[in-house]
Amino acid sequence: MLPYRQIHLDFHTSEAIQKIGSRFSKEQFIAALKEGNVNSVTVFSKCHHGWAYHPTKVNQMHPHLNFDLLDAQLLACKEAGIRTEVYISAGFDQKYAMAHTDCVRVKKDGSRGSFLEPGYKRLCFGTPYLKQLAAEVDEVMRLYGGRFDGLFLDIVTTGKCYCQYCLDGMRRLGLDPQQEADAQKYSAIVYQNYVETIANVVKKYDPELPIIHNDGGAIFQGRDVMKWNNRHLELESLPTGGWGYDHFPLSAAYARTLGKEFLGMTGKFHKSWGEFGGFKHPNALRYEAALANACGARCSVGDQLHPDGEMDLATYRLIGQAYREVEAREPWLADATAVADIGILTTERCIRHKENGLVGANRMMLEGHYLYNIIDEEADFTDYKLLLLPDDILLDGALAEKIQQYLKSGGKILCTGKSGTNAEGNFALDMGLAFDGVGDYTPAYLRPTFALSPNGMTSYVMYSTNYHVTPAADFAGEVIAQRVDPYFNRSAERFCSHRHTPYDREKTAVGAVVSKQFAYIGWEIFTEYAKVGAIHLRAMVEKCVDMLLGNSKTMCTTLPSCGVTTLMCQQTEQGSRLVHHLVYSIPKCRGNGVEVIEDLPTVLDTACTLKTDRKPRRVYLAPSGEEVAFTYQSGLLRYTVPSFCCSVMVVTEF
């Protein structure tokens, strides 16, 4: 089983620094890891600069290292009973890039990036560099195979390249480099060759060794790509480094549907990788570890070893505070599966940190405390009571047919924007609506037919693209919001006030509808929430979701919106039990958009309701074991968590 308390120990070390590893001590190395309560660590074979940290015949050892540092670290970890992974920088090798500029990845405009600026150059796996990389992997397996538990290859993506090798390869296959689709197709061929090459090398020595191909946390590349992470996933997500605190829950909500163990990789840094002397507040790391566990993940914390090899004890005191709490939670984490009412459907590939419908949907479901997973086209839709199709999920061919079958089985769907339409611009589903295309005005206004929380019935500005729909004469549903258009679009010739034109009360049409199995909102409301975050956007979606779920909703809680809550079903030797995670803090932005956590306020009297057809035997808080008073009537379990700080688990045993 994959350990819960890992360290990713970076060691990207310039040749301009002397005395590499001169202060390394086995005893001090072990003492630091023990202080951090660590039970797994990633150590380096080769760094981004291209140097090896062990004797080598196929590469070059760092010129200022005079002993086998990798061997020393592996020996220390074996003595301490700590699991190890070996790191090889795959996509970056600055030494090789400087000597072989023809192997550097090239953009469509022919640029490779300047060698006059500090920073690494991305190498292309469609060049002779792959042979060099394979030789380095082979050597590590031959020299150290059987002594470590996983191989971590970094900076691995399927991005397009226009170097001379890729151009030649495309033309030989009859592909046109001028066409984006052909260039993307060839990049997939290059990636496939890369992963197969590495897998074949490793297989000679250890067919079962876990191989991790790290792409910076963008796991939405398709299962055909993700399968090459053959045992588990490591999801890089440093909230302070630009990812934000809702990025990991998004990645985890998809990762937990793939049938593999996974861990969340954050960092000890105030900002991001390579920050020497940067420390986040201990409470931040406590929160991030608890969040990872609540989302179904193990933990990994990124650190960077000083060039002289001495571990920084302040770092491991910081990590230890979080990892002692993780260790206490572990009995309630293993063999747990997320309970989910809702599936958020995505057809994205290589999604990064951008404001789109998936990001907005994830934020709304987190803040609304719904139980959800993020799913792709290959998921079993019947596992979910409701599917969300955020903003731009087009339905054609097999996907449209699969959705139709899901609906026949009793499933329900919420579509927004142009989701649910096909290539012809019509609804692919019989929702009782005609799709009439893009609206004439932006922004337009949404006017609910009910008192929308928290500000009631009024006209709310909607900045995103709006779409016109017409209900059929026999539409068996309810119009729950109107679209109200402005007098005119803002222009140099006609404008009103500072920002946008007010609404014309006479220009109304259908804005949102709900029926027994469908809901539709005629705006790209999830994308708008990702960009703007206005509360009426989430309230409108919550109204639709609650109407569709009705009394089938599994969980309700009064946890504030900044909290995160999940429900896991855990299998134990005594049977199954429910583990309800509650995690709370309030991230703040400091400086230039750095999200930080410092305070962990105590949350009082959180009321919770769970729908279950089994009568509980016992409800208690973990890991403290404190009993929780509860009632159970008509299939509803009710309890109140008196107080908690940072996180708590409520365990229901039957």
Side-chain angles (χ1 to χ4, degrees):
M1 185 173 68
L2 188 66
Y4 277 87
R5 292 167 276 124
Q6 183 161 303
I7 295 295
H8 188 91
L9 188 60
D10 262 8
F11 197 54
H12 303 296
T13 307
S14 169
E15 63 278 4
I17 297 177
Q18 305 281 328
K19 299 181 179 179
I20 303 304
S22 60
R23 293 177 65 88
F24 176 82
S25 156
K26 179 185 73 173
E27 291 75 20
Q28 198 265 349
F29 185 74
I30 292 173
L33 294 176
K34 292 295 186 184
E35 179 69 29
N37 205 26
V38 172
N39 58 5
S40 181
V41 63
T42 302
V43 291
F44 268 44
S45 164
K46 186 185 82 167
C47 73
H48 287 348
H49 292 272
W51 301 114
Y53 294 94
H54 55 84
T56 173
K57 293 182 179 179
V58 300
N59 191 11
Q60 292 173 263
M61 192 163 81
H62 194 290
H64 304 299
L65 175 68
N66 60 15
F67 68 102
D68 189 336
L69 178 59
L70 176 58
D71 178 70
Q73 291 175 327
L74 291 175
L75 285 172
C77 289
K78 182 179 180 181
E79 180 177 318
I82 294 172
R83 175 186 178 274
T84 52
E85 291 180 6
V86 168
Y87 176 104
I88 295 178
S89 180
F92 288 155
D93 183 326
Q94 192 70 0
K95 171 170 57 64
Y96 190 94
M98 294 285 286
H100 303 275
T101 56
D102 58 312
C103 294
V104 174
R105 188 181 287 187
V106 178
K107 296 180 181 178
K108 194 172 185 179
D109 63 6
S111 62
R112 287 183 167 90
S114 173
F115 283 92
L116 296 176
E117 299 292 331
Y120 308 111
K121 303 298 176 287
R122 181 70 63 86
L123 287 157
C124 174
F125 297 141
T127 71
Y129 170 66
L130 180 58
K131 184 177 180 180
Q132 170 65 27
L133 178 62
E136 293 165 357
V137 172
D138 186 275
E139 184 177 62
V140 166
M141 294 301 302
R142 178 170 50 82
L143 296 178
Y144 305 98
R147 298 178 55 194
F148 58 92
D149 306 285
L151 183 67
F152 189 103
L153 294 113
D154 202 8
I155 316 299
V156 179
T157 65
T158 58
K160 299 184 294 292
C161 177
Y162 298 88
C163 69
Q164 68 267 41
Y165 299 100
C166 287
L167 294 177
D168 181 60
M170 282 186 254
R171 290 171 181 136
R172 280 189 285 107
L173 294 175
L175 301 174
D176 182 359
Q178 296 288 351
Q179 302 300 318
E180 290 287 321
D182 280 5
Q184 188 64 50
K185 181 178 180 180
Y186 188 72
S187 74
I189 293 171
V190 168
Y191 184 87
Q192 181 80 5
N193 183 55
Y194 151 74
V195 290
E196 287 180 350
T197 299
I198 299 302
N200 289 335
V201 170
V202 173
K203 206 175 294 183
K204 290 190 304 181
Y205 300 94
D206 186 349
E208 301 301 317
L209 186 73
I211 303 173
I212 303 95
H213 299 280
N214 185 51
D215 63 355
I219 63 169
F220 295 86
Q221 298 187 78
R223 296 182 186 227
D224 57 332
V225 172
M226 293 312 300
K227 70 181 182 182
W228 293 101
N229 291 272
N230 60 339
R231 291 291 181 273
H232 69 271
L233 304 173
E234 303 196 10
L235 309 183
E236 185 180 346
S237 183
L238 279 65
T240 56
W243 282 262
Y245 273 98
D246 64 353
H247 176 268
F248 180 74
L250 186 153
S251 294
Y254 178 59
R256 61 181 174 239
T257 70
L258 299 177
K260 295 183 179 182
E261 294 179 328
F262 65 100
L263 57 80
M265 183 192 296
T266 183
K268 69 94 178 183
F269 318 104
H270 171 67
K271 291 185 70 177
S272 194
W273 295 110
E275 183 185 47
F276 290 101
F279 300 87
K280 61 182 45 164
H281 195 283
N283 284 343
L285 206 53
R286 291 176 58 206
Y287 173 84
E288 289 162 25
L291 180 64
N293 293 161
C295 291
R298 278 83 168 148
C299 301
S300 177
V301 176
D303 180 27
Q304 179 146 290
L305 183 63
H306 190 278
D308 66 18
E310 182 176 328
M311 300 278 270
D312 183 73
L313 290 180
T315 292
Y316 290 88
R317 287 192 293 270
L318 163 66
I319 294 169
Q321 294 182 56
Y323 273 2
R324 282 188 287 275
E325 293 180 356
V326 172
E327 184 178 27
R329 286 192 290 267
E330 287 177 17
W332 294 272
L333 303 177
D335 300 316
T337 304
V339 177
D341 292 333
I342 298 168
I344 305 175
L345 182 60
T346 179
T347 55
E348 288 274 355
R349 294 295 177 264
C350 297
I351 181 173
R352 297 273 175 186
H353 323 301
K354 57 185 180 182
E355 295 167 329
N356 62 9
L358 181 60
V359 168
N362 177 69
R363 286 179 185 165
M364 286 193 189
M365 295 300 101
L366 275 180
E367 294 165 2
H369 304 318
Y370 294 96
L371 301 178
Y372 71 100
N373 285 330
I374 294 172
I375 59 175
D376 59 25
E377 305 98 312
E378 296 185 41
D380 185 349
F381 295 168
T382 61
D383 288 341
Y384 303 94
K385 301 168 186 174
L386 170 65
L387 295 186
L388 300 191
L389 277 60
D391 296 352
D392 59 359
I393 306 297
L394 303 185
L395 301 183
D396 285 295
L399 180 57
E401 177 59 27
K402 189 171 182 177
I403 293 282
Q404 294 283 12
Q405 294 302 315
Y406 167 73
L407 291 169
K408 288 179 182 178
S409 72
K412 300 180 180 183
I413 291 183
L414 166 60
C415 295
T416 61
K418 59 185 176 184
S419 283
T421 63
N422 54 27
E424 287 73 43
N426 301 310
F427 278 125
L429 309 171
D430 183 12
M431 295 192 290
L433 302 172
F435 187 77
D436 300 324
V438 179
D440 298 322
Y441 299 96
T442 302
Y445 296 80
L446 179 146
R447 185 173 183 84
T449 59
F450 58 95
L452 184 68
S453 177
N455 293 311
M457 189 183 297
T458 185
S459 293
Y460 295 89
V461 65
M462 302 288 286
Y463 293 104
S464 60
T465 302
N466 61 84
Y467 297 87
H468 291 196
V469 295
T470 303
D474 59 349
F475 176 66
E478 176 184 354
V479 176
I480 62 168
Q482 294 178 321
R483 187 190 74 253
V484 186
D485 288 331
Y487 292 99
F488 46 78
N489 282 320
R490 186 177 179 88
S491 67
E493 290 74 28
R494 293 192 299 179
F495 64 90
C496 179
S497 192
H498 299 291
R499 296 190 60 82
H500 48 259
T501 310
Y503 47 87
D504 181 343
R505 301 179 198 275
E506 305 300 317
K507 295 163 70 172
T508 63
V510 173
V513 299
V514 178
S515 63
K516 183 178 179 181
Q517 279 190 284
F518 298 98
Y520 176 77
I521 302 172
W523 281 269
E524 294 176 355
I525 193 167
F526 291 111
T527 300
E528 183 170 345
Y529 194 69
K531 294 178 179 180
V532 178
I535 188 62
H536 67 267
L537 305 171
R538 192 180 85 216
M540 190 67 205
V541 169
E542 288 178 352
K543 175 68 172 180
C544 292
V545 170
D546 290 345
M547 289 180 71
L548 288 170
L549 286 178
N551 61 10
S552 71
K553 189 176 179 181
T554 300
M555 183 193 70
C556 296
T557 176
T558 60
L559 185 69
S561 64
C562 284
V564 174
T565 188
T566 62
L567 184 65
M568 299 287 171
C569 182
Q570 187 190 33
Q571 301 300 322
T572 70
E573 292 181 357
Q574 291 75 37
S576 64
R577 61 190 178 192
L578 293 176
V579 182
H580 180 195
H581 293 260
L582 300 102
V583 186
Y584 187 79
S585 186
I586 306 176
K588 298 178 181 178
C589 280
R590 289 184 181 163
N592 187 20
V594 179
E595 289 191 29
V596 300
I597 284 176
E598 181 175 341
D599 301 318
L600 293 175
T602 298
V603 183
L604 300 175
D605 298 326
T606 305
C608 306
T609 302
L610 299 185
K611 184 180 179 66
T612 174
D613 58 4
R614 294 178 292 172
K615 184 177 181 180
R617 178 177 63 85
R618 180 190 179 204
V619 179
Y620 63 95
L621 303 182
S624 69
E626 178 186 345
E627 297 287 333
V628 174
F630 68 91
T631 63
Y632 180 76
Q633 187 175 9
S634 303
L636 294 179
L637 166 65
R638 290 185 171 89
Y639 52 80
T640 296
V641 180
S643 70
F644 73 93
C645 178
C646 185
S647 69
V648 72
M649 297 177 290
V650 185
V651 183
T652 301
E653 293 184 347
F654 300 95

